[in-house]
Amino acid sequence: MPASTCSEQQSLLPGPTRRAWLAGSAAGAWLALGAAGRVAADEKITLTVAAFPLVDEIARAALPAWQRLHPNVAVEVLTRQYADHHTAMSTALSTAALLPDVLALESSKLGRFAQGGGLENLAQAPFALDRYRPLLVPYAYDQAIARNGAVVAVPTDIGPGTLLYRQDILARAAVDAAELTRSWDGYIAAGARIKKQTGAYLIAHVQAIKDILIRTGIAPGEGIYFDQNSRVLVQSERFVRAFELALKVRRLGLDARITAWSNEWAEGFKRGTLATELSGAWLVGQLSNWIAPKTAGLWRAAELPEGANAGYGGAFYAIPRKLDANRKLLAWQFIQLMTLDRERQLTAFKTHDAFPALLAAHEDPFFDAPVAFLGAQPARQLWRQAARRISAVPVHKQDPFADEVIGSELDHVLNRGKSIRTALADAQALLERRAHR
């Protein structure tokens, strides 16, 4: 994907000029269709928006603003749980039955939908999404570019990666936070001291370490698991290193061997048995709101070890290709409200920790404000910098399957003593059989 294109466009907009342009453009950009999206006074229309939890709440919160602009166009937000939603959308797009007007997609699912041919190409008229490209976080926009150059979705929020750590646990172990981020070896060494001095585990599960390392050092033309020609990449050195470091952490007893989002995982945060976590910035909101609110003030944020850059999730809006043309225009205006309106983006961030994909929102003073849960650390500045450094990588329709295969093979290495080289060779053979299906 041409990640450099957007960065080059942004570099032409230095300093205050760029900020003013972004703010002005974003404020009015989504009104650009003008009369094309208007509805006659006596005409009543209902748009349907299909979404998954949290995205649905953000969409509903925007309905008063939408009604002021389109008093004759009601919006019904349909909610399904995450997995059910994406399954239902896949079925709807393939059969052209029960199509919503707007559908939300999570970033990890975007590649499969992009290559399915069921989504509208928003780069084409009358949408012309390319003109808004400089307004959006570069890697997020690039994630929505299909192999044929079509832009199939608009990012609404992102998940810049961060390392979260318990300051109180580090203090008890006499570990400086810089030791966690200087290198992966330093991160592991610090974890060993933390475990010895406090009994706390470095991390919940080593899969989190593997997930970052296989996304580090990707060469141009490569995806995570496949290159642009569907050649399988899982025997490359980045996979070898990811497995080696994960195995080292396991052998030292530094991971708690608990799965993210399990009850045990949440309890680890509440009880202070987990010293760090590698995740998206949005996890701070989850910790403060419901996972471990009583740990407020004990956590801090830092960049990922060795300056690694990784995105953790994110939501996009798309339009079905087979939707009626007139409804597409209204659907497009709804998407513009959700993605290009600065106030909508900031409201979603402040209320649901949905980190904005709109660059103009990043200029708001809210990004410089202290985060109470993080001991008044102005961590949003850190996440804003991380968001600019992340690069999009090409997606492949078999990426979700490849993720399962690699995760399974790592389990064989960790729990059954399988050699790393054999595990990756087995994964390579299986993925090669699936790559061209």
Side-chain angles (χ1 to χ4, degrees):
M1 295 182 182
S4 62
T5 304
C6 190
S7 299
E8 290 165 3
Q9 288 176 324
Q10 291 181 53
S11 68
L12 299 176
L13 302 166
T17 302
R18 174 177 171 273
R19 286 193 292 272
W21 183 83
L22 286 173
S25 298
W30 55 272
L31 296 174
L33 286 178
R38 293 177 185 169
V39 178
D42 59 348
E43 187 178 2
K44 301 293 183 182
I45 293 178
T46 298
L47 288 182
T48 57
V49 177
F52 46 92
L54 293 189
V55 178
D56 61 338
E57 294 180 21
I58 294 170
R60 289 191 183 96
L63 296 187
W66 170 262
Q67 288 298 301
R68 288 193 293 271
L69 295 166
H70 300 277
N72 296 335
V73 182
V75 173
E76 181 182 7
V77 180
L78 307 175
T79 303
R80 295 180 181 88
Q81 291 304 309
Y82 175 82
D84 293 338
H85 166 78
H86 288 93
T87 299
M89 293 303 97
S90 180
T91 301
L93 292 174
S94 62
T95 62
L98 301 176
L99 286 171
D101 298 293
V102 177
L103 63 149
L105 295 171
E106 204 274 332
S107 61
S108 65
K109 305 292 185 182
L110 192 59
R112 176 163 59 88
F113 281 87
Q115 295 181 45
L119 300 178
E120 181 67 34
N121 180 5
L122 300 177
Q124 296 180 340
F127 316 105
L129 181 59
D130 280 356
R131 60 183 158 168
Y132 304 131
R133 184 174 189 165
L135 303 179
L136 298 165
V137 170
Y139 91 89
Y141 183 98
D142 290 347
Q143 279 184 298
I145 302 176
R147 289 185 183 180
N148 62 3
V151 185
V152 298
V154 189
T156 182
D157 62 68
I158 60 174
T162 189
L163 184 150
L164 301 177
Y165 64 92
R166 283 281 297 261
Q167 177 62 40
D168 58 326
I169 295 176
L170 265 64
R172 283 160 48 201
V175 169
D176 186 88
E179 297 179 59
L180 297 173
T181 59
R182 194 172 296 122
S183 69
W184 284 104
D185 287 333
Y187 175 69
I188 295 170
R193 288 164 52 201
I194 289 170
K195 181 73 181 299
K196 181 178 180 180
Q197 296 296 326
T198 71
Y201 292 100
L202 176 63
I203 197 166
H205 201 287
V206 293
Q207 289 276 5
I209 295 173
K210 175 267 295 178
D211 286 341
I212 294 175
L213 285 167
I214 65 173
R215 289 164 171 80
T216 302
I218 296 175
E222 291 184 352
I224 300 171
Y225 304 102
F226 306 90
D227 69 8
Q228 58 193 358
N229 298 315
S230 291
R231 185 171 63 91
V232 182
L233 304 172
V234 300
Q235 288 183 286
S236 64
E237 284 306 307
R238 56 188 169 91
F239 281 85
V240 173
R241 187 181 186 218
F243 274 48
E244 288 176 343
L245 289 180
L247 181 58
K248 183 177 181 180
V249 170
R250 173 59 58 84
R251 285 177 171 170
L252 290 172
L254 303 183
D255 76 317
R257 305 190 185 194
I258 54 179
T259 305
W261 305 108
S262 64
N263 290 334
E264 294 82 2
W265 181 75
E267 285 299 313
F269 292 130
K270 293 176 183 176
R271 297 178 181 178
T273 58
L274 297 175
T276 77
E277 183 61 291
L278 307 168
S279 187
W282 43 261
L283 183 58
V284 172
Q286 302 288 336
L287 288 169
S288 63
N289 291 328
W290 66 275
I291 297 176
K294 293 183 179 180
T295 63
L298 301 179
W299 291 91
R300 301 291 186 273
E303 64 178 11
L304 296 171
E306 286 185 10
N309 298 303
Y312 286 79
F316 292 74
Y317 285 109
I319 299 173
R321 183 172 56 83
K322 294 183 180 179
L323 195 66
D324 177 80
N326 291 329
R327 298 185 71 87
K328 285 181 183 178
L329 292 176
L330 284 170
W332 174 231
Q333 288 201 346
F334 181 83
I335 290 175
Q336 288 179 297
L337 173 65
M338 300 306 300
T339 62
L340 297 176
D341 183 278
R342 184 174 181 271
E343 292 310 309
R344 284 291 99 217
Q345 288 269 292
L346 282 170
T347 297
F349 191 26
K350 293 175 181 179
T351 59
H352 291 84
D353 295 287
F355 198 97
L358 183 69
L359 289 168
H362 294 194
E363 308 292 347
D364 192 84
F366 182 66
F367 277 77
D368 301 320
V371 180
F373 187 80
L374 299 177
Q377 178 187 8
R380 299 184 191 102
Q381 298 174 349
L382 175 73
W383 301 331
R384 176 171 57 192
Q385 294 170 3
R388 306 294 177 90
R389 293 195 301 261
I390 299 170
S391 297
V393 296
V395 295
H396 192 279
K397 62 182 179 180
Q398 295 293 351
D399 277 354
F401 177 69
D403 187 66
E404 292 180 11
V405 170
I406 289 298
S408 177
E409 288 296 341
L410 179 58
D411 282 339
H412 293 329
V413 170
L414 298 174
N415 302 322
R416 301 182 184 178
K418 192 172 185 177
S419 77
I420 291 174
R421 296 289 180 178
T422 300
L424 293 177
D426 287 349
Q428 177 95 11
L430 178 55
L431 293 177
E432 284 176 346
R433 292 196 295 271
R434 287 285 296 260
H436 301 287
R437 287 189 178 183

